[in-house]
Amino acid sequence: MFFQGLIQLSIGYYHLGCENYPGADHLLTRGLSKLEPNTSSACGVELKSFLGQVKKRIEAVRQQSGNSQSMRSCVIPKIEMVEEGSIDSPA
């Protein structure tokens, strides 16, 4: 589910860039739900701050509904890696 969640987030951000806000909301939310069961990291990826940024973007997308201002210039969160010894296995 970890990789599926990352792919869904990627596609969600793609939809956001195309100003398809319902599609962005749907896929960002689905991707988030697949990654949230992991603790602080999975497969060497730090998740705590990454998912915090995704949650903020979802809130912004939901507030965007009906607003004519574009979100094309939104910042996509950067994936940070963690050290080998601190990797949690994916749920």
Side-chain angles (χ1 to χ4, degrees), residues 50-66:
F50 177 72
L51 295 181
Q53 293 175 57
V54 171
K55 288 176 188 178
K56 287 180 185 176
R57 183 55 56 202
I58 292 170
E59 290 173 21
V61 167
R62 290 179 180 165
Q63 291 175 359
Q64 178 65 24
S65 233

Side-chain angles (χ1 to χ4, degrees), residues 1-13 27-28 30-32 34-35 42-43 45-47 50-51 54 79:
M1 290 302 209
F2 173 77
F3 292 108
Q4 185 177 11
L6 281 181
I7 291 166
Q8 287 176 327
L9 290 178
S10 300
I11 297 168
Y13 278 100
L27 282 163
L28 290 173
R30 285 184 67 187
L32 178 66
K34 288 189 174 64
L35 295 178
C43 296
V45 175
E46 185 283 320
L47 291 174
F50 177 72
L51 295 181
V54 171
I79 293 177

Side-chain angles (χ1 to χ4, degrees), residues 2-91:
F2 173 77
F3 292 108
Q4 185 177 11
L6 281 181
I7 291 166
Q8 287 176 327
L9 290 178
S10 300
I11 297 168
Y13 278 100
Y14 171 79
H15 281 296
L16 189 57
C18 294
E19 298 182 4
N20 175 4
Y21 302 122
D25 180 23
H26 179 74
L27 282 163
L28 290 173
T29 301
R30 285 184 67 187
L32 178 66
S33 70
K34 288 189 174 64
L35 295 178
E36 278 186 318
N38 296 292
T39 54
S40 60
S41 66
C43 296
V45 175
E46 185 283 320
L47 291 174
K48 190 173 181 178
S49 67
F50 177 72
L51 295 181
Q53 293 175 57
V54 171
K55 288 176 188 178
K56 287 180 185 176
R57 183 55 56 202
I58 292 170
E59 290 173 21
V61 167
R62 290 179 180 165
Q63 291 175 359
Q64 178 65 24
S65 233
N67 187 343
S68 62
Q69 189 176 14
S70 175
M71 293 183 70
R72 280 190 154 196
S73 63
C74 80
V75 176
I76 297 173
K78 182 178 179 183
I79 293 177
E80 300 286 337
M81 303 304 288
V82 294
E83 292 181 28
E84 286 278 328
S86 60
I87 296 174
D88 298 335
S89 61

